[in-house]
Amino acid sequence: MSQSDKTRVTVEIHNRSYTIVGQEPAHRMRMVASLVDQKMSEIAAANPNLDTAKLAVLTAVNTTNDYLKLKEDYAQLLGSITRKEARKDND
């Protein structure tokens, strides 16, 4: 994919403008940026003395933790569905 095929979107995260370039549709990139901004705002409200770099790292850590929890929940759900299907097939 060439540079001209990529989507460019300018977003605001934690009162700073960023230009994001990627293959995703613009609305998705804006949604992701909005979620990052919301998470940074939540963490900043709870920890008002954090500088931007520490705030960004804590946001990344919290977001990754949320992602891993969802991934584990998904794996458990998938396992549960697989077991139910196996029981049905054995009946």
Side-chain angles (χ1 to χ4, degrees), residues 3-22:
Q3 189 68 18
S4 63
D5 295 336
K6 294 184 179 179
T7 304
R8 296 178 73 82
V9 177
T10 301
V11 297
E12 191 163 306
I13 300 172
H14 199 60
N15 301 317
R16 294 177 102 169
S17 290
Y18 296 90
T19 299
I20 302 173
V21 180

Side-chain angles (χ1 to χ4, degrees), residues 2-63:
S2 71
Q3 189 68 18
S4 63
D5 295 336
K6 294 184 179 179
T7 304
R8 296 178 73 82
V9 177
T10 301
V11 297
E12 191 163 306
I13 300 172
H14 199 60
N15 301 317
R16 294 177 102 169
S17 290
Y18 296 90
T19 299
I20 302 173
V21 180
Q23 298 174 7
E24 298 291 336
H27 71 275
R28 182 170 183 89
M29 291 165 42
R30 284 188 194 96
M31 181 177 63
V32 169
S34 176
L35 291 170
V36 171
D37 184 56
Q38 287 174 17
K39 183 63 98 172
M40 286 185 83
S41 294
E42 288 172 19
I43 294 170
N47 304 281
N49 295 326
L50 289 177
D51 62 39
T52 302
K54 288 181 182 175
L55 177 60
V57 169
L58 280 177
T59 300
V61 168
N62 277 270
T63 302

